Structure formats: structure tokens, C-alpha cells
Amino acid sequence: DLRANFTFEQYVQEYGKVYVDPKESQMREKYFKRNLIRIMSHNAEPGQTWFMGLNEFADWSLPEFEARRLYKGRQARLKMKSLPPSKLAFPANLTALAKHKKIPSSLDWRDKGVVTNVYNQGDCGSCFAFSTTEAMESRSAIASGKLEKLSAQQVTSCTPNPKHCGGTGNCDGGVEALAYDYLAQFGGLASAKAYPYEASDGKDVTCRDKKDITPVATTTGHYQLPDNEYTPLMQAIQDGPVSVAIAVSDDMEFYEAGVYKCTMKKNRAKQCWAINHAVNLVGYGENKNGNMYWLVRNSWGADWGEDGYIRIKRFGEGKEPCGDDLSPGDGSACGPPYPKSVRVCGMSGIISDSTFPKDAKLIHRDD
């Protein structure tokens, strides 16, 4: 609930901000005032379907936000040679997954008791690891009847990334497809309790020795859905949450509530297609105003957005918008060399790159 007279001092107290010296405090106040004006200007525009609000990023600059919460170099059509071909689970016919004849008008996997609480990746570029871990948690729970918190740190630290897909590995980023196939090759994923997350400060954490990792959940690889196709994603979400790539533009930073639509004014439109973040798709629906949406779980903590979630505008089969990602090296390619552009579809590119674990389940132990 924003007020024009909300002061920087009030913000600092409410969010527990601590600065190293008066010089930094002055800099942060400048960013805060600039962002507050922008937030209020957005909310004052008529016809908005979503609204901005203050959050922990309000005293950050945009470059700082991008460096601390996003990552460079996703790869949309992963055909890696770094792992044995037998470990790469690419189904010959993905349409075989489309077995649901009747698709309900809404779905929220949180209602099924198979979604853990929202996590916070901190300053580490580990969104790919949280997206992977969250899908493993939910799909293992669906298959095994028990919800177990799994280790995002193992995925962050141990996933090999020799071709620099989604970054260079660890806190510098990776992709979910590689993570799923690493887990298949390694033998599974440890619990969060046994292998807790330690990289929120942005520092790389070395992968533990194999003998010190005890898997509690397994997968045999991953499925990659056809790029930019609506119906396969709608089919896949019926069986459990799905890892998806999105473009975080500079207005999503302050998303607070509503059905999000990327602002395509003037030269800002290209931001709507620049894939730079990995999240978890946990459902879809339609609000009372008739706005259809995708229900997306983020990894920026529960204080961001709608208790850690964002609803992104959904258009429907044959109606999803498309655009060109003009910086694939930052969002959708392995390399170098990188292609000059990659076609992505869905609001914020949400249907462009979708993966989920194959045969995810918990390991039943006698102890």
C-alpha cells in the first residue's frame, strides 16, 4: 500500500536495511526515490491488470538487480554431448505425453499438497537449481505420496556445465536440462536438510564428494517440450509442475499483485523476450475479470510478489504472442558462438523453454 509520502527512513526500518557508510546510504536513497516514483507512476496508469510495490529491491539500481538475481546464458534447445547419450532423456515423440483429453479450466498444484514453501536464491545465479529442485520435489511427491524438501545446493554446486549453458556453472548459472541429467547420472538428489543451501551470499560452494551425498529422490533424466507450443505445456502441467524459462524485464522487479503483462512501449519491448531467468510453473487459471494467467513460483523469497508467486498473462492456443530474443548469449544459447536471435513465445517468453524430470520419485529406505 504505497503512499506518496513514504520516506526512505521508513523503508530502511521496515526492511531492516543496513549500509556500510553515509555515502552508501545516500546512494541507496537516490535509488529508492527513483524507484518509488516509477512504481507509483505505473500504478496510476488506467487499465492496469497488475501493480507494483516496494520490496527489498527498491534501493537497488537495475544493473545491480540483474547481477544479483538473474543470470546469463540459457539454452533453449539443449543437445549436449557432455554426458553419455544414454543419460540424455529426449523422448522420440513428445506428443505421446499429451494423454489428457479434458483439460480443466484452472489448476493449482499447491492445492494438492505437493509444493514446498517459496525459497530465496539470494545473490547466487542459482535459479536453474531451484527450478529443478522444486519440480523434483513436487513430481516426487506426486509419484511417492510424500513431500520432501530437496537440495538446491547440490544442484547448484555439482551440475557440470562445460559448454557454458546458462552461465559457467555454480552461482554463475546453468540450465535445468543439464541439472536433471546430472541427477540421473549421479544417482539422485539429497534432502535439503542433509545438504542445505549455503550460497545466498553469491559465493560458489564446492560440490561435496560423492560419498558424502545421500540421494533421497531420483530421476532418469528429463523431458524437453517443443519450443513455443502452448498445448504440450498445458498437457505436461496436468501431471505436475514444470520448469520454465522467462524474460524478467525491469518492471517485473517490483511486481506485487495482479496478472502481469510486460510493458511493450517504444524500445522496451525487447526486454519482454530476453530470456534470463528460470522459474517453476505450478498451474494456471483465470481471474474474475477474465484475464487468463500462468501461475509461476519464483525463487526470490515469499516477500516478493504474491507470496513469492507471479501470475503471468496467458492467451491460449494459437493466441500466444511471440518475439525475438536478441541477446541469446544472455538467455537462450550455449557458446560461444551464439546465434544472433532466438524466437520465443508466450508473455515474457514463458512457453519457449519447458522441461521436467522423467520418472521422479523418492527412494524408500528401511531406516
Side-chain angles (χ1 to χ4, degrees):
D1 182 20
L2 292 173
R3 301 176 300 278
N5 62 348
F6 193 83
T7 67
F8 177 64
E9 289 72 20
Q10 288 173 307
Y11 173 77
V12 169
Q13 183 176 4
E14 182 173 334
Y15 285 86
K17 296 285 185 171
V18 178
Y19 307 122
V20 295
D21 53 34
K23 185 177 180 180
E24 185 191 4
S25 179
Q26 291 175 0
M27 178 186 70
R28 296 299 177 187
E29 183 172 9
K30 180 181 71 172
Y31 293 149
F32 168 80
K33 289 181 176 179
R34 181 188 302 167
N35 289 327
L36 180 60
I37 291 172
R38 185 179 177 207
I39 290 169
M40 297 189 69
S41 176
H42 169 89
N43 292 346
E45 292 182 12
Q48 289 289 7
T49 63
W50 68 283
F51 299 94
M52 292 183 177
L54 291 173
N55 55 34
E56 66 170 309
F57 312 133
D59 63 343
W60 293 9
S61 67
L62 178 59
E64 182 180 14
F65 169 75
E66 292 174 339
R68 297 175 66 178
R69 286 297 183 273
L70 305 177
Y71 66 89
K72 294 185 176 182
R74 285 194 54 84
Q75 192 269 8
R77 285 167 283 281
L78 186 67
K79 294 183 179 179
M80 300 296 297
K81 297 180 180 179
S82 58
L83 296 178
S86 62
K87 297 297 184 181
L88 296 177
F90 288 93
N93 183 8
L94 280 168
T95 57
L97 295 172
K99 59 182 179 296
H100 299 276
K101 294 182 179 179
K102 185 176 181 180
I103 302 296
S105 59
S106 64
L107 175 66
D108 185 343
W109 280 104
R110 294 176 298 180
D111 296 337
K112 315 290 185 181
V114 295
V115 177
T116 54
N117 57 292
V118 171
Y119 299 129
N120 194 335
Q121 70 189 69
D123 290 348
C124 179
S126 53
C127 53
F128 79 99
F130 282 93
S131 180
T132 297
T133 301
E134 291 159 6
M136 283 289 294
E137 289 173 341
S138 294
R139 287 185 173 255
S140 294
I142 293 167
S144 306
K146 180 183 177 182
L147 183 60
E148 180 90 25
K149 290 185 178 182
L150 302 176
S151 176
Q153 189 62 64
Q154 180 188 343
V155 179
T156 303
S157 297
C158 304
T159 299
N161 193 4
K163 293 186 179 293
H164 295 180
C165 299
T168 56
N170 219 311
C171 277
D172 289 325
V175 292
E176 303 93 294
L178 277 178
Y180 290 131
D181 292 332
Y182 150 71
L183 295 175
Q185 186 181 46
F186 175 76
L189 182 56
S191 70
K193 183 178 180 180
Y195 200 158
Y197 189 64
E198 299 175 336
S200 60
D201 59 359
K203 297 179 181 178
D204 287 346
V205 177
T206 302
C207 180
R208 293 182 181 179
D209 290 338
K210 185 173 182 178
K211 62 181 177 60
D212 295 325
I213 304 175
T214 302
V216 297
T218 60
T219 177
T220 58
H222 77 278
Y223 288 110
Q224 180 110 19
L225 297 179
D227 298 341
N228 301 322
E229 293 188 22
Y230 177 87
T231 297
L233 182 54
M234 285 292 284
Q235 290 285 348
I237 193 66
Q238 304 304 315
D239 294 321
V242 177
S243 295
V244 295
I246 63 170
V248 175
S249 60
D250 62 10
D251 55 5
M252 193 184 290
E253 175 184 1
F254 298 115
Y255 169 83
E256 183 171 79
V259 177
Y260 174 83
K261 292 194 296 185
C262 188
T263 303
M264 297 189 185
K265 295 180 179 179
K266 298 180 180 179
N267 63 345
R268 295 191 69 259
K270 63 182 181 181
Q271 294 187 31
C272 301
W273 313 115
I275 302 299
N276 55 13
H277 193 45
V279 290
N280 210 232
L281 182 65
V282 300
Y284 58 88
E286 182 176 338
N287 71 5
K288 62 181 179 181
N289 294 322
N291 288 311
M292 298 195 302
Y293 60 83
W294 301 104
L295 180 62
V296 173
R297 174 185 180 180
N298 204 351
S299 53
W300 296 344
D303 290 334
W304 178 86
E306 296 179 330
D307 298 323
Y309 286 77
I310 180 173
R311 288 177 290 163
I312 295 178
K313 176 69 176 177
R314 177 171 60 98
F315 294 85
E317 177 61 49
K319 300 178 182 179
E320 296 292 327
C322 295
D324 293 320
D325 182 351
L326 301 178
S327 54
D330 291 344
S332 57
C334 290
Y338 299 108
K340 292 183 179 180
S341 67
V342 173
R343 194 69 170 170
V344 299
C345 295
M347 179 58 65
S348 301
I350 194 170
I351 66 172
S352 66
D353 181 8
S354 309
T355 56
F356 59 93
K358 183 179 181 182
D359 305 322
K361 63 181 180 180
L362 294 179
I363 299 173
H364 293 287
R365 302 180 185 277
D366 294 336
D367 54 354

